[in-house]
Amino acid sequence: MASARSPRRRLAASVALVLAVTVGAGVLASPGATASPAAATGAPALVPMSTTSTTSSDAVLLPVGAEVVSAGETGHLTSRKDDTGATVLEWRRTADGSVTPLGSGTVGHDSGSDTVVTGDGGSVVHLRDMAPGADWSASFDLAAEFTAGAKLVGVIGRNLYVKVPTTADYHELWHLTEVDGAARKTKLSSGAYGMDYKVVASTGSRALLLGTNRVFSGAGFRTHFWQATMTVGSDEVVDRTGVESIGPWRATSTGALTADYTARVEYPSAGPRIVVDGDRVHRDFPLDAGQADARVAGILGDTLLYGVPGTADGQTPAPLYARSVTDATATPYRLLEHHSSVAHAPDGGLLVRGATADADGLFRVWVGDDGRPAATLVADTGRVKALAVTGSQVPATVDLERPGAIAPMEWTLTRADAALDVTLTHTATGRTRTERLAQPASGTRFAFTWDGLLDGASAPNGAYTWQVTATRADGSGAPATASGGFRVTREANPHDYNDNGSTDVLARDASGVLWRDDLLDWPSEGGIETAQRASIGRGWQIYDRIEAAGDLAGGPVGDLVARDTSGVLWLYQGTGAGNFTARTQIGKGWQIYATLTGGSDLTGDGRADLLATDTAGDLWLYRGTGSATAPFAARVRLGGGWQVYREITAVGDIAGGAAGDLVARDAAGVLWLYQGNGAGNFLARVRVGSGWNAFTHLVGAGDVDADGRPDLVAYGPNGTYVYRSTSSATAPFSRLTTTLYTGEGTAFDTIA
């Protein structure tokens, strides 16, 4: 033991250390037990104490990362990390806020006094009186005072309680202090089979001790868990009388001691619990999974304080709870929204590093006027704890063209104990997507990964706004809001009517209602799914041909042409909102054609063209102009003999050629491929396959599966399928299942 005093009383190096040992009579010898540590002679080498100067501050401020370690009458000890990551212990004086760094040790102990007790995590322990005008200090090397493996298990003022190994399994409890400049050591345990000890609470004059010892019975044994109260600084044996059997405890167990109550954390097989005992009360408070690591902070009046400590930065909420000991029906409530460390003051109060809804720092907790614990801020970190949105990471542009494309979005709040409501709004249509983020992804960072869907369908192109509203988890305080914007981009799809890049398929039922089914872009489990269905309107039975014609009028989405029974062809321009403008007349005399098909660029000029076969079997090309008033140039004859086909379908470039292609189905159900040559005509036909008469309608549906190639939708009484293009002229399709028109194989007379 090294001790430092004023110069006139400083110990000389030759002063002998005094070992005071009190051994109880009738001690049983245990198997393999060894004798107590022998008295030490001679003075060990001095362990120097820091003499770093004290600095003052006008304001009582606390570093954000500081934890409270110990509390005395004139100040408190804190621990924090400096810029290099090293641990810094500092004494903070209450009267003037001055700070004294301690250069001795990196680990502090809760002494409940102005004596700070520090160490390095090993066997050396330093003591220093921080009261104004005091200059006492001392150091002990527990390995030298006792034996290797001696461990500090309790600190009360200048009194140290040490667990000393005797064998691999057994330990003794010793009291170590300084008297007249010399070490005074007293053995407090009497049994030979003591295993573990921990001082978990103190009133300053009395202490609560938890212990374990082994009890032998025949060839076997059991572990006995017990508690006892002892007088601080006395030589009384602690494990002989006044010992009370308790449930299992652990090295992490904590407790409380007042004039009326004792409390401790136990870990029986049924699950962890806090046990409170008093003259007229016994309470078992089970701890659920979220509270399994709870610590007892103390008992103030008739209220137990407990919780699972967090960290000083408060990234994850760790409330300090209060619960009545006397009222069995009372429910716990939050005294502090967050806490990370607790120190016990000499007057029985607590200093708690924590936070409320409005403040973050060090709180003094004492009994209020209403008899319940109250928390008062005594040192402020200056960190704003009011709920606010402090940052956002939302991409300026969201490209949803890639299969499986997503948009990660993040917002940072000042607090983690909150929920965040996110609303994405498409500016043009007012359609929204809302999500509630009930908890942060990490720290105070709330993350939302947008899958590109809006109202269950692919999100449309254009400008969007985002709005977030944060609310406290307990409903307290004002909400916090933030907003911003971004854009969604999708490539144009000639078969898209609501500007979201995904294919829309049109169908007319027997009553004349025209329906639009929006498909999801990307195959799910090998198939194409329908996102949603919407009615475009009634009265479409006046037309005998309805064709999706691609972008004829130079807009961002596809258009529609329809021929009435008198042969007039009408143009319906897509609005981008899933419906069409009022019709405009293209021309008369179109009743001469048996088939019409459009939506594909056959000439390589980037515009959608139209093909028609007349009753004589001639095939005609109507080149697109991009004009809404005259969408087609004069017709050009491509050839004859097309009367052999019951249906022709412009499908786009499915074979990897120069321009859009055409498929034609003959009367026998054989499907033929005509590759576009880029000049408005076609190469020699290639047989695709037979059996296509199982379908009543074949539709060139644009890029259904977002792979960059146009696809075909086949509808019939036995089912609907998507034929994905392969860019191969010899095997241009591979079939996918779809939920489109499931069970509706005869419900529609027109598909476009």
PDB file of all heavy atoms in Angstrom, residues 202-203 206 208 227 229 244 256-264 275-283 298-303 325-326 366-367 371:
ATOM      1  N   SER A 202     -25.250   0.252  -0.345  1.00  0.00           N
ATOM      2  CA  SER A 202     -24.797   0.773   0.941  1.00  0.00           C
ATOM      3  C   SER A 202     -25.602   2.004   1.308  1.00  0.00           C
ATOM      4  O   SER A 202     -26.066   2.747   0.433  1.00  0.00           O
ATOM      5  CB  SER A 202     -23.306   1.135   0.864  1.00  0.00           C
ATOM      6  OG  SER A 202     -22.905   1.880   1.985  1.00  0.00           O
ATOM      7  N   THR A 203     -25.757   2.205   2.612  1.00  0.00           N
ATOM      8  CA  THR A 203     -26.321   3.457   3.121  1.00  0.00           C
ATOM      9  C   THR A 203     -25.218   4.382   3.611  1.00  0.00           C
ATOM     10  O   THR A 203     -25.495   5.466   4.111  1.00  0.00           O
ATOM     11  CB  THR A 203     -27.290   3.182   4.278  1.00  0.00           C
ATOM     12  OG1 THR A 203     -26.558   2.594   5.366  1.00  0.00           O
ATOM     13  CG2 THR A 203     -28.413   2.251   3.848  1.00  0.00           C
ATOM     14  N   ARG A 206     -24.172   1.065   6.570  1.00  0.00           N
ATOM     15  CA  ARG A 206     -24.512  -0.346   6.414  1.00  0.00           C
ATOM     16  C   ARG A 206     -24.370  -0.724   4.939  1.00  0.00           C
ATOM     17  O   ARG A 206     -24.520   0.115   4.048  1.00  0.00           O
ATOM     18  CB  ARG A 206     -25.952  -0.624   6.868  1.00  0.00           C
ATOM     19  CG  ARG A 206     -26.217  -0.330   8.330  1.00  0.00           C
ATOM     20  CD  ARG A 206     -25.590  -1.375   9.245  1.00  0.00           C
ATOM     21  NE  ARG A 206     -26.240  -2.681   9.111  1.00  0.00           N
ATOM     22  CZ  ARG A 206     -25.758  -3.801   9.651  1.00  0.00           C
ATOM     23  NH1 ARG A 206     -24.613  -3.780  10.338  1.00  0.00           N
ATOM     24  NH2 ARG A 206     -26.400  -4.936   9.504  1.00  0.00           N
ATOM     25  N   LEU A 208     -25.097  -4.005   1.861  1.00  0.00           N
ATOM     26  CA  LEU A 208     -25.773  -5.240   1.480  1.00  0.00           C
ATOM     27  C   LEU A 208     -24.791  -6.089   0.689  1.00  0.00           C
ATOM     28  O   LEU A 208     -24.250  -5.654  -0.333  1.00  0.00           O
ATOM     29  CB  LEU A 208     -27.012  -4.944   0.632  1.00  0.00           C
ATOM     30  CG  LEU A 208     -27.799  -6.156   0.130  1.00  0.00           C
ATOM     31  CD1 LEU A 208     -28.363  -6.968   1.297  1.00  0.00           C
ATOM     32  CD2 LEU A 208     -28.927  -5.720  -0.810  1.00  0.00           C
ATOM     33  N   GLN A 227     -27.688 -13.588   1.233  1.00  0.00           N
ATOM     34  CA  GLN A 227     -27.397 -12.174   1.405  1.00  0.00           C
ATOM     35  C   GLN A 227     -27.273 -11.869   2.886  1.00  0.00           C
ATOM     36  O   GLN A 227     -27.818 -12.580   3.741  1.00  0.00           O
ATOM     37  CB  GLN A 227     -28.478 -11.288   0.779  1.00  0.00           C
ATOM     38  CG  GLN A 227     -29.790 -11.228   1.535  1.00  0.00           C
ATOM     39  CD  GLN A 227     -30.749 -10.183   0.960  1.00  0.00           C
ATOM     40  OE1 GLN A 227     -30.574  -9.694  -0.143  1.00  0.00           O
ATOM     41  NE2 GLN A 227     -31.766  -9.842   1.731  1.00  0.00           N
ATOM     42  N   THR A 229     -26.515  -8.199   5.630  1.00  0.00           N
ATOM     43  CA  THR A 229     -26.150  -6.799   5.811  1.00  0.00           C
ATOM     44  C   THR A 229     -25.025  -6.727   6.830  1.00  0.00           C
ATOM     45  O   THR A 229     -24.952  -7.537   7.759  1.00  0.00           O
ATOM     46  CB  THR A 229     -27.348  -5.962   6.284  1.00  0.00           C
ATOM     47  OG1 THR A 229     -27.854  -6.507   7.502  1.00  0.00           O
ATOM     48  CG2 THR A 229     -28.444  -5.951   5.229  1.00  0.00           C
ATOM     49  N   GLU A 244     -29.286 -14.699   5.061  1.00  0.00           N
ATOM     50  CA  GLU A 244     -30.606 -15.042   4.530  1.00  0.00           C
ATOM     51  C   GLU A 244     -30.441 -15.727   3.181  1.00  0.00           C
ATOM     52  O   GLU A 244     -29.763 -15.206   2.287  1.00  0.00           O
ATOM     53  CB  GLU A 244     -31.446 -13.775   4.366  1.00  0.00           C
ATOM     54  CG  GLU A 244     -32.811 -14.012   3.748  1.00  0.00           C
ATOM     55  CD  GLU A 244     -33.549 -12.711   3.478  1.00  0.00           C
ATOM     56  OE1 GLU A 244     -33.015 -11.635   3.832  1.00  0.00           O
ATOM     57  OE2 GLU A 244     -34.645 -12.781   2.897  1.00  0.00           O
ATOM     58  N   ALA A 256     -30.191  -2.736  -3.734  1.00  0.00           N
ATOM     59  CA  ALA A 256     -30.463  -1.471  -3.051  1.00  0.00           C
ATOM     60  C   ALA A 256     -30.635  -1.755  -1.567  1.00  0.00           C
ATOM     61  O   ALA A 256     -31.081  -2.843  -1.167  1.00  0.00           O
ATOM     62  CB  ALA A 256     -31.709  -0.805  -3.621  1.00  0.00           C
ATOM     63  N   LEU A 257     -30.300  -0.755  -0.752  1.00  0.00           N
ATOM     64  CA  LEU A 257     -30.423  -0.874   0.703  1.00  0.00           C
ATOM     65  C   LEU A 257     -30.855   0.466   1.265  1.00  0.00           C
ATOM     66  O   LEU A 257     -30.235   1.495   0.991  1.00  0.00           O
ATOM     67  CB  LEU A 257     -29.081  -1.293   1.317  1.00  0.00           C
ATOM     68  CG  LEU A 257     -29.028  -1.384   2.846  1.00  0.00           C
ATOM     69  CD1 LEU A 257     -29.945  -2.495   3.353  1.00  0.00           C
ATOM     70  CD2 LEU A 257     -27.589  -1.607   3.303  1.00  0.00           C
ATOM     71  N   THR A 258     -31.960   0.457   2.015  1.00  0.00           N
ATOM     72  CA  THR A 258     -32.407   1.646   2.736  1.00  0.00           C
ATOM     73  C   THR A 258     -32.749   1.216   4.160  1.00  0.00           C
ATOM     74  O   THR A 258     -32.617   0.041   4.529  1.00  0.00           O
ATOM     75  CB  THR A 258     -33.649   2.275   2.070  1.00  0.00           C
ATOM     76  OG1 THR A 258     -34.784   1.415   2.267  1.00  0.00           O
ATOM     77  CG2 THR A 258     -33.431   2.491   0.577  1.00  0.00           C
ATOM     78  N   ALA A 259     -33.219   2.156   4.957  1.00  0.00           N
ATOM     79  CA  ALA A 259     -33.623   1.818   6.319  1.00  0.00           C
ATOM     80  C   ALA A 259     -34.816   0.879   6.326  1.00  0.00           C
ATOM     81  O   ALA A 259     -35.037   0.149   7.308  1.00  0.00           O
ATOM     82  CB  ALA A 259     -33.951   3.095   7.090  1.00  0.00           C
ATOM     83  N   ASP A 260     -35.593   0.857   5.235  1.00  0.00           N
ATOM     84  CA  ASP A 260     -36.827   0.068   5.199  1.00  0.00           C
ATOM     85  C   ASP A 260     -36.766  -1.139   4.275  1.00  0.00           C
ATOM     86  O   ASP A 260     -37.562  -2.068   4.436  1.00  0.00           O
ATOM     87  CB  ASP A 260     -37.996   0.960   4.754  1.00  0.00           C
ATOM     88  CG  ASP A 260     -38.235   2.111   5.706  1.00  0.00           C
ATOM     89  OD1 ASP A 260     -38.243   1.872   6.920  1.00  0.00           O
ATOM     90  OD2 ASP A 260     -38.408   3.248   5.218  1.00  0.00           O
ATOM     91  N   TYR A 261     -35.864  -1.139   3.290  1.00  0.00           N
ATOM     92  CA  TYR A 261     -35.923  -2.172   2.261  1.00  0.00           C
ATOM     93  C   TYR A 261     -34.531  -2.666   1.863  1.00  0.00           C
ATOM     94  O   TYR A 261     -33.531  -1.946   1.982  1.00  0.00           O
ATOM     95  CB  TYR A 261     -36.602  -1.646   0.985  1.00  0.00           C
ATOM     96  CG  TYR A 261     -37.994  -1.120   1.184  1.00  0.00           C
ATOM     97  CD1 TYR A 261     -38.233   0.259   1.204  1.00  0.00           C
ATOM     98  CD2 TYR A 261     -39.072  -1.984   1.346  1.00  0.00           C
ATOM     99  CE1 TYR A 261     -39.510   0.759   1.373  1.00  0.00           C
ATOM    100  CE2 TYR A 261     -40.358  -1.492   1.517  1.00  0.00           C
ATOM    101  CZ  TYR A 261     -40.570  -0.127   1.536  1.00  0.00           C
ATOM    102  OH  TYR A 261     -41.837   0.362   1.708  1.00  0.00           O
ATOM    103  N   THR A 262     -34.529  -3.908   1.357  1.00  0.00           N
ATOM    104  CA  THR A 262     -33.407  -4.417   0.572  1.00  0.00           C
ATOM    105  C   THR A 262     -33.960  -4.853  -0.774  1.00  0.00           C
ATOM    106  O   THR A 262     -35.130  -5.248  -0.885  1.00  0.00           O
ATOM    107  CB  THR A 262     -32.710  -5.616   1.243  1.00  0.00           C
ATOM    108  OG1 THR A 262     -33.630  -6.722   1.310  1.00  0.00           O
ATOM    109  CG2 THR A 262     -32.199  -5.254   2.621  1.00  0.00           C
ATOM    110  N   ALA A 263     -33.123  -4.782  -1.800  1.00  0.00           N
ATOM    111  CA  ALA A 263     -33.531  -5.233  -3.135  1.00  0.00           C
ATOM    112  C   ALA A 263     -32.329  -5.865  -3.816  1.00  0.00           C
ATOM    113  O   ALA A 263     -31.178  -5.504  -3.546  1.00  0.00           O
ATOM    114  CB  ALA A 263     -34.061  -4.067  -3.963  1.00  0.00           C
ATOM    115  N   ARG A 264     -32.593  -6.805  -4.698  1.00  0.00           N
ATOM    116  CA  ARG A 264     -31.520  -7.483  -5.423  1.00  0.00           C
ATOM    117  C   ARG A 264     -32.102  -8.060  -6.711  1.00  0.00           C
ATOM    118  O   ARG A 264     -33.312  -8.271  -6.826  1.00  0.00           O
ATOM    119  CB  ARG A 264     -30.920  -8.612  -4.580  1.00  0.00           C
ATOM    120  CG  ARG A 264     -31.931  -9.704  -4.250  1.00  0.00           C
ATOM    121  CD  ARG A 264     -31.457 -10.693  -3.220  1.00  0.00           C
ATOM    122  NE  ARG A 264     -32.508 -11.662  -2.888  1.00  0.00           N
ATOM    123  CZ  ARG A 264     -33.438 -11.471  -1.957  1.00  0.00           C
ATOM    124  NH1 ARG A 264     -33.446 -10.344  -1.244  1.00  0.00           N
ATOM    125  NH2 ARG A 264     -34.356 -12.399  -1.722  1.00  0.00           N
ATOM    126  N   VAL A 275     -36.174  -8.764  -6.487  1.00  0.00           N
ATOM    127  CA  VAL A 275     -36.814  -9.122  -5.221  1.00  0.00           C
ATOM    128  C   VAL A 275     -36.624  -7.968  -4.243  1.00  0.00           C
ATOM    129  O   VAL A 275     -35.496  -7.507  -4.033  1.00  0.00           O
ATOM    130  CB  VAL A 275     -36.218 -10.414  -4.637  1.00  0.00           C
ATOM    131  CG1 VAL A 275     -36.889 -10.755  -3.309  1.00  0.00           C
ATOM    132  CG2 VAL A 275     -36.375 -11.560  -5.629  1.00  0.00           C
ATOM    133  N   VAL A 276     -37.725  -7.495  -3.679  1.00  0.00           N
ATOM    134  CA  VAL A 276     -37.690  -6.419  -2.690  1.00  0.00           C
ATOM    135  C   VAL A 276     -38.261  -6.958  -1.386  1.00  0.00           C
ATOM    136  O   VAL A 276     -39.354  -7.542  -1.365  1.00  0.00           O
ATOM    137  CB  VAL A 276     -38.500  -5.194  -3.158  1.00  0.00           C
ATOM    138  CG1 VAL A 276     -38.448  -4.091  -2.102  1.00  0.00           C
ATOM    139  CG2 VAL A 276     -37.968  -4.681  -4.492  1.00  0.00           C
ATOM    140  N   ASP A 277     -37.524  -6.772  -0.283  1.00  0.00           N
ATOM    141  CA  ASP A 277     -37.973  -7.207   1.041  1.00  0.00           C
ATOM    142  C   ASP A 277     -37.987  -6.023   1.994  1.00  0.00           C
ATOM    143  O   ASP A 277     -37.100  -5.157   1.955  1.00  0.00           O
ATOM    144  CB  ASP A 277     -37.038  -8.283   1.598  1.00  0.00           C
ATOM    145  CG  ASP A 277     -37.215  -9.616   0.895  1.00  0.00           C
ATOM    146  OD1 ASP A 277     -38.368 -10.074   0.791  1.00  0.00           O
ATOM    147  OD2 ASP A 277     -36.203 -10.179   0.437  1.00  0.00           O
ATOM    148  N   GLY A 278     -39.015  -6.001   2.851  1.00  0.00           N
ATOM    149  CA  GLY A 278     -39.116  -4.999   3.903  1.00  0.00           C
ATOM    150  C   GLY A 278     -39.822  -5.586   5.101  1.00  0.00           C
ATOM    151  O   GLY A 278     -40.225  -6.759   5.100  1.00  0.00           O
ATOM    152  N   ASP A 279     -40.010  -4.782   6.134  1.00  0.00           N
ATOM    153  CA  ASP A 279     -40.666  -5.284   7.340  1.00  0.00           C
ATOM    154  C   ASP A 279     -42.085  -5.758   7.063  1.00  0.00           C
ATOM    155  O   ASP A 279     -42.558  -6.730   7.658  1.00  0.00           O
ATOM    156  CB  ASP A 279     -40.694  -4.185   8.413  1.00  0.00           C
ATOM    157  CG  ASP A 279     -39.300  -3.886   8.951  1.00  0.00           C
ATOM    158  OD1 ASP A 279     -38.428  -4.771   8.807  1.00  0.00           O
ATOM    159  OD2 ASP A 279     -39.090  -2.787   9.482  1.00  0.00           O
ATOM    160  N   ARG A 280     -42.772  -5.090   6.148  1.00  0.00           N
ATOM    161  CA  ARG A 280     -44.175  -5.424   5.900  1.00  0.00           C
ATOM    162  C   ARG A 280     -44.455  -5.774   4.443  1.00  0.00           C
ATOM    163  O   ARG A 280     -45.613  -5.808   4.037  1.00  0.00           O
ATOM    164  CB  ARG A 280     -45.068  -4.242   6.311  1.00  0.00           C
ATOM    165  CG  ARG A 280     -44.946  -3.852   7.774  1.00  0.00           C
ATOM    166  CD  ARG A 280     -45.792  -2.637   8.110  1.00  0.00           C
ATOM    167  NE  ARG A 280     -45.507  -1.505   7.232  1.00  0.00           N
ATOM    168  CZ  ARG A 280     -44.496  -0.670   7.429  1.00  0.00           C
ATOM    169  NH1 ARG A 280     -43.667  -0.853   8.442  1.00  0.00           N
ATOM    170  NH2 ARG A 280     -44.295   0.335   6.607  1.00  0.00           N
ATOM    171  N   VAL A 281     -43.415  -6.013   3.667  1.00  0.00           N
ATOM    172  CA  VAL A 281     -43.640  -6.245   2.245  1.00  0.00           C
ATOM    173  C   VAL A 281     -42.593  -7.204   1.692  1.00  0.00           C
ATOM    174  O   VAL A 281     -41.445  -7.225   2.142  1.00  0.00           O
ATOM    175  CB  VAL A 281     -43.597  -4.910   1.464  1.00  0.00           C
ATOM    176  CG1 VAL A 281     -42.195  -4.316   1.490  1.00  0.00           C
ATOM    177  CG2 VAL A 281     -44.059  -5.103   0.025  1.00  0.00           C
ATOM    178  N   HIS A 282     -43.045  -8.032   0.754  1.00  0.00           N
ATOM    179  CA  HIS A 282     -42.136  -8.860  -0.049  1.00  0.00           C
ATOM    180  C   HIS A 282     -42.676  -8.842  -1.473  1.00  0.00           C
ATOM    181  O   HIS A 282     -43.829  -9.200  -1.715  1.00  0.00           O
ATOM    182  CB  HIS A 282     -42.086 -10.299   0.468  1.00  0.00           C
ATOM    183  CG  HIS A 282     -41.300 -11.205  -0.445  1.00  0.00           C
ATOM    184  ND1 HIS A 282     -39.930 -11.301  -0.389  1.00  0.00           N
ATOM    185  CD2 HIS A 282     -41.701 -12.040  -1.446  1.00  0.00           C
ATOM    186  CE1 HIS A 282     -39.517 -12.156  -1.313  1.00  0.00           C
ATOM    187  NE2 HIS A 282     -40.576 -12.621  -1.964  1.00  0.00           N
ATOM    188  N   ARG A 283     -41.852  -8.401  -2.394  1.00  0.00           N
ATOM    189  CA  ARG A 283     -42.278  -8.309  -3.785  1.00  0.00           C
ATOM    190  C   ARG A 283     -41.297  -9.052  -4.687  1.00  0.00           C
ATOM    191  O   ARG A 283     -40.080  -8.927  -4.539  1.00  0.00           O
ATOM    192  CB  ARG A 283     -42.339  -6.852  -4.248  1.00  0.00           C
ATOM    193  CG  ARG A 283     -43.281  -5.976  -3.446  1.00  0.00           C
ATOM    194  CD  ARG A 283     -44.715  -6.209  -3.861  1.00  0.00           C
ATOM    195  NE  ARG A 283     -45.593  -5.280  -3.165  1.00  0.00           N
ATOM    196  CZ  ARG A 283     -46.675  -5.634  -2.511  1.00  0.00           C
ATOM    197  NH1 ARG A 283     -47.027  -6.914  -2.468  1.00  0.00           N
ATOM    198  NH2 ARG A 283     -47.427  -4.739  -1.907  1.00  0.00           N
ATOM    199  N   GLY A 298     -31.789   1.924  -7.381  1.00  0.00           N
ATOM    200  CA  GLY A 298     -31.941   2.283  -5.980  1.00  0.00           C
ATOM    201  C   GLY A 298     -33.391   2.235  -5.562  1.00  0.00           C
ATOM    202  O   GLY A 298     -34.284   1.929  -6.360  1.00  0.00           O
ATOM    203  N   ILE A 299     -33.629   2.525  -4.287  1.00  0.00           N
ATOM    204  CA  ILE A 299     -34.980   2.684  -3.753  1.00  0.00           C
ATOM    205  C   ILE A 299     -35.035   4.045  -3.079  1.00  0.00           C
ATOM    206  O   ILE A 299     -34.219   4.351  -2.200  1.00  0.00           O
ATOM    207  CB  ILE A 299     -35.341   1.573  -2.747  1.00  0.00           C
ATOM    208  CG1 ILE A 299     -35.408   0.210  -3.452  1.00  0.00           C
ATOM    209  CG2 ILE A 299     -36.674   1.875  -2.069  1.00  0.00           C
ATOM    210  CD1 ILE A 299     -35.723  -0.947  -2.525  1.00  0.00           C
ATOM    211  N   LEU A 300     -35.982   4.872  -3.505  1.00  0.00           N
ATOM    212  CA  LEU A 300     -36.201   6.186  -2.909  1.00  0.00           C
ATOM    213  C   LEU A 300     -37.603   6.206  -2.325  1.00  0.00           C
ATOM    214  O   LEU A 300     -38.582   6.013  -3.060  1.00  0.00           O
ATOM    215  CB  LEU A 300     -36.040   7.293  -3.950  1.00  0.00           C
ATOM    216  CG  LEU A 300     -34.627   7.459  -4.536  1.00  0.00           C
ATOM    217  CD1 LEU A 300     -34.612   8.568  -5.573  1.00  0.00           C
ATOM    218  CD2 LEU A 300     -33.618   7.746  -3.438  1.00  0.00           C
ATOM    219  N   GLY A 301     -37.695   6.401  -1.009  1.00  0.00           N
ATOM    220  CA  GLY A 301     -38.996   6.317  -0.358  1.00  0.00           C
ATOM    221  C   GLY A 301     -39.527   4.911  -0.482  1.00  0.00           C
ATOM    222  O   GLY A 301     -38.886   3.945  -0.054  1.00  0.00           O
ATOM    223  N   ASP A 302     -40.696   4.790  -1.114  1.00  0.00           N
ATOM    224  CA  ASP A 302     -41.298   3.475  -1.342  1.00  0.00           C
ATOM    225  C   ASP A 302     -41.295   3.118  -2.824  1.00  0.00           C
ATOM    226  O   ASP A 302     -42.143   2.351  -3.289  1.00  0.00           O
ATOM    227  CB  ASP A 302     -42.744   3.467  -0.820  1.00  0.00           C
ATOM    228  CG  ASP A 302     -42.817   3.644   0.687  1.00  0.00           C
ATOM    229  OD1 ASP A 302     -41.976   3.052   1.380  1.00  0.00           O
ATOM    230  OD2 ASP A 302     -43.701   4.388   1.147  1.00  0.00           O
ATOM    231  N   THR A 303     -40.345   3.651  -3.574  1.00  0.00           N
ATOM    232  CA  THR A 303     -40.317   3.444  -5.023  1.00  0.00           C
ATOM    233  C   THR A 303     -39.001   2.811  -5.448  1.00  0.00           C
ATOM    234  O   THR A 303     -37.918   3.298  -5.104  1.00  0.00           O
ATOM    235  CB  THR A 303     -40.513   4.771  -5.769  1.00  0.00           C
ATOM    236  OG1 THR A 303     -41.748   5.365  -5.368  1.00  0.00           O
ATOM    237  CG2 THR A 303     -40.540   4.543  -7.276  1.00  0.00           C
ATOM    238  N   VAL A 325     -43.265   0.043  -4.404  1.00  0.00           N
ATOM    239  CA  VAL A 325     -42.994  -1.179  -3.662  1.00  0.00           C
ATOM    240  C   VAL A 325     -44.197  -1.581  -2.818  1.00  0.00           C
ATOM    241  O   VAL A 325     -44.479  -2.768  -2.628  1.00  0.00           O
ATOM    242  CB  VAL A 325     -41.746  -0.990  -2.776  1.00  0.00           C
ATOM    243  CG1 VAL A 325     -41.556  -2.166  -1.833  1.00  0.00           C
ATOM    244  CG2 VAL A 325     -40.512  -0.784  -3.639  1.00  0.00           C
ATOM    245  N   THR A 326     -44.949  -0.605  -2.329  1.00  0.00           N
ATOM    246  CA  THR A 326     -46.050  -0.889  -1.403  1.00  0.00           C
ATOM    247  C   THR A 326     -47.362  -1.196  -2.111  1.00  0.00           C
ATOM    248  O   THR A 326     -48.194  -1.931  -1.584  1.00  0.00           O
ATOM    249  CB  THR A 326     -46.256   0.309  -0.464  1.00  0.00           C
ATOM    250  OG1 THR A 326     -46.455   1.493  -1.255  1.00  0.00           O
ATOM    251  CG2 THR A 326     -45.039   0.494   0.429  1.00  0.00           C
ATOM    252  N   TRP A 366     -34.188  12.433  -6.411  1.00  0.00           N
ATOM    253  CA  TRP A 366     -34.480  12.434  -4.982  1.00  0.00           C
ATOM    254  C   TRP A 366     -35.985  12.391  -4.808  1.00  0.00           C
ATOM    255  O   TRP A 366     -36.740  12.493  -5.773  1.00  0.00           O
ATOM    256  CB  TRP A 366     -33.863  13.668  -4.312  1.00  0.00           C
ATOM    257  CG  TRP A 366     -33.939  13.664  -2.809  1.00  0.00           C
ATOM    258  CD1 TRP A 366     -34.541  14.590  -2.028  1.00  0.00           C
ATOM    259  CD2 TRP A 366     -33.400  12.682  -1.926  1.00  0.00           C
ATOM    260  NE1 TRP A 366     -34.421  14.258  -0.700  1.00  0.00           N
ATOM    261  CE2 TRP A 366     -33.712  13.075  -0.611  1.00  0.00           C
ATOM    262  CE3 TRP A 366     -32.691  11.498  -2.110  1.00  0.00           C
ATOM    263  CZ2 TRP A 366     -33.355  12.338   0.505  1.00  0.00           C
ATOM    264  CZ3 TRP A 366     -32.325  10.770  -0.989  1.00  0.00           C
ATOM    265  CH2 TRP A 366     -32.649  11.193   0.296  1.00  0.00           C
ATOM    266  N   VAL A 367     -36.445  12.225  -3.582  1.00  0.00           N
ATOM    267  CA  VAL A 367     -37.878  12.142  -3.315  1.00  0.00           C
ATOM    268  C   VAL A 367     -38.489  13.536  -3.426  1.00  0.00           C
ATOM    269  O   VAL A 367     -38.032  14.482  -2.773  1.00  0.00           O
ATOM    270  CB  VAL A 367     -38.146  11.546  -1.925  1.00  0.00           C
ATOM    271  CG1 VAL A 367     -39.647  11.484  -1.660  1.00  0.00           C
ATOM    272  CG2 VAL A 367     -37.527  10.162  -1.823  1.00  0.00           C
ATOM    273  N   GLY A 371     -43.807  12.614  -2.585  1.00  0.00           N
ATOM    274  CA  GLY A 371     -43.356  11.324  -2.078  1.00  0.00           C
ATOM    275  C   GLY A 371     -42.816  10.400  -3.148  1.00  0.00           C
ATOM    276  O   GLY A 371     -42.360   9.297  -2.835  1.00  0.00           O
TER     277      GLY A 371
END
